[in-house]
Amino acid sequence: VLTDKNECCGVKCINENTSKIKTFIADAVILASGGLNRLFGTTTGSVRNDGYVTAKVFTQGVELANLEMIQYHPTTAAICGKRLLISEAARGEGGRLFVLRDGEPRYFMEEKYPELGNLMPRDITSREIVMNSSDGTAYIDMTALPSSTWENKLSDMREQMIDLLGIDPVKDYVHISPGIHYFMGGIQVDHASRTTMEQLYAVGETSNNGVHGRNRLASNSLLESLVFAKRAANDISEKFPVVKRNEDLFWSFNIEKYSDQEKLRREYEQ
């Protein structure tokens, strides 16, 4: 980000396809660069999100928080470069987790947690998979699900497994293991998505706004994306009723310190 003391004045961006760098002067900037997925080899998120933005603004004095609060999803499968998410919907509709013992399936979640079984929270289920297997993996059995469930509720999931795993879950067990799924921590923001740098905002998974605590509940990540994005937009519109480039800022801003594009490119590659 472009800064003047502790005030954000815009951004300088690199096009990863062409390596061209472009400068944008702005009254305010919203960061929405996602989680730190590319730092890990077992993540369900896009590996295009490499954590560079978070790391870069940290070097510029922006505070981060709770980076250790990383959520694992218990049922993911290996695909090229990342993990395929197998949603809770699979277990919610009757999918059963098991490990092989002496060649026979042992449904460990149902044995230990008879009331909720395979529907225990993500962190507990992930831990049980690791503790009940020698290699931290298990299987999910969805072969008993009725055809109506696959047709009306899980058709996309089945299609992904066939296309990406080469497995038809109607006929075969799916080999799974826990994978990194969501980052609760990130760039520290307040209730209006403001970071510790003036006129710089962060929304979505790249931010740490505290609403998820240490372990996010399923299906509520839109809270960070939609609610806090709207709060950021409202705060910006109140500060800058007329959306325009700040010409006084543009002419007074010292952009020379960002003019060495080779240096910026090297920093990005590092």
Side-chain angles (χ1 to χ4, degrees):
V1 298
L2 307 180
T3 60
D4 183 12
K5 297 179 181 179
N6 189 45
E7 185 175 293
C8 178
C9 306
V11 290
K12 206 171 184 72
C13 301
I14 185 170
N15 185 318
E16 292 183 335
N17 295 321
T18 64
S19 293
K20 291 184 178 180
I21 297 175
K22 188 170 183 178
T23 300
F24 299 89
I25 302 297
D27 292 322
V29 171
I30 299 176
L31 302 178
S33 51
L36 313 180
N37 298 312
R38 200 167 179 177
L39 297 179
F40 302 88
T42 57
T43 174
T44 61
S46 171
V47 293
R48 298 286 290 180
N49 299 339
D50 57 8
Y52 174 78
V53 172
T54 300
K56 186 61 179 177
V57 297
F58 176 66
T59 67
Q60 296 180 274
V62 176
E63 291 184 13
L64 311 182
N66 299 328
L67 296 182
E68 76 281 10
M69 294 181 183
I70 300 173
Q71 182 178 70
Y72 280 75
H73 196 287
T75 52
T76 72
I79 56 176
C80 184
K82 53 172 293 185
R83 309 290 299 184
L84 173 67
L85 174 67
I86 300 175
S87 166
E88 266 100 356
R91 288 175 284 133
E93 294 298 330
R96 304 173 70 194
L97 296 172
F98 72 89
V99 293
L100 290 174
R101 293 285 172 81
D102 300 323
E104 296 295 327
R106 178 189 171 194
Y107 296 93
F108 57 94
M109 291 301 294
E110 297 167 33
E111 291 177 11
K112 189 168 182 178
Y113 305 99
E115 290 188 5
L116 290 178
N118 298 287
L119 300 180
M120 290 294 289
R122 291 174 176 177
D123 55 328
I124 295 175
T125 306
S126 296
R127 184 178 66 223
E128 293 296 338
I129 290 172
V130 173
M131 292 177 64
N132 282 276
S133 63
S134 59
D135 60 356
T137 67
Y139 294 88
I140 183 167
D141 178 3
M142 296 174 279
T143 58
L145 273 60
S147 58
S148 59
T149 297
W150 288 112
E151 293 172 4
N152 300 322
K153 298 180 179 180
L154 302 178
S155 58
D156 289 345
M157 182 185 298
R158 182 186 181 191
E159 183 178 339
Q160 283 186 335
M161 291 184 192
I162 293 173
D163 291 345
L164 300 177
L165 301 178
I167 297 173
D168 187 347
V170 172
K171 304 174 183 178
D172 301 307
Y173 307 139
V174 181
H175 196 199
I176 57 91
S177 64
I180 291 173
H181 182 52
Y182 200 88
F183 298 84
M184 275 71 70
I187 300 170
Q188 181 64 46
V189 298
D190 63 10
H191 67 283
S193 298
R194 295 179 291 238
T195 72
T196 54
M197 178 180 287
E198 291 294 324
Q199 297 175 202
L200 180 67
Y201 299 75
V203 300
E205 196 174 357
T206 196
S207 68
N208 175 78
N209 48 41
V211 295
H212 297 309
R214 297 172 64 184
N215 191 25
R216 180 181 70 91
L217 296 175
S219 304
N220 66 353
S221 54
L222 284 178
L223 172 62
E224 281 189 317
S225 301
L226 296 181
V227 175
F228 280 83
K230 185 174 182 179
R231 288 183 174 186
N234 289 340
D235 193 70
I236 293 170
S237 64
E238 290 175 5
K239 290 181 179 177
F240 307 101
V242 179
V243 178
K244 65 180 181 62
R245 287 191 176 184
N246 190 323
E247 294 185 1
D248 292 337
L249 171 64
F250 182 82
W251 293 113
S252 63
F253 179 65
N254 178 20
I255 203 169
E256 289 301 315
K257 59 183 178 180
Y258 300 100
S259 61
D260 189 342
Q261 295 193 7
E262 286 303 317
K263 179 182 177 183
L264 291 170
R265 189 174 289 109
R266 288 194 301 271
E267 288 181 355
Y268 177 79
E269 290 172 352
Q270 290 173 358

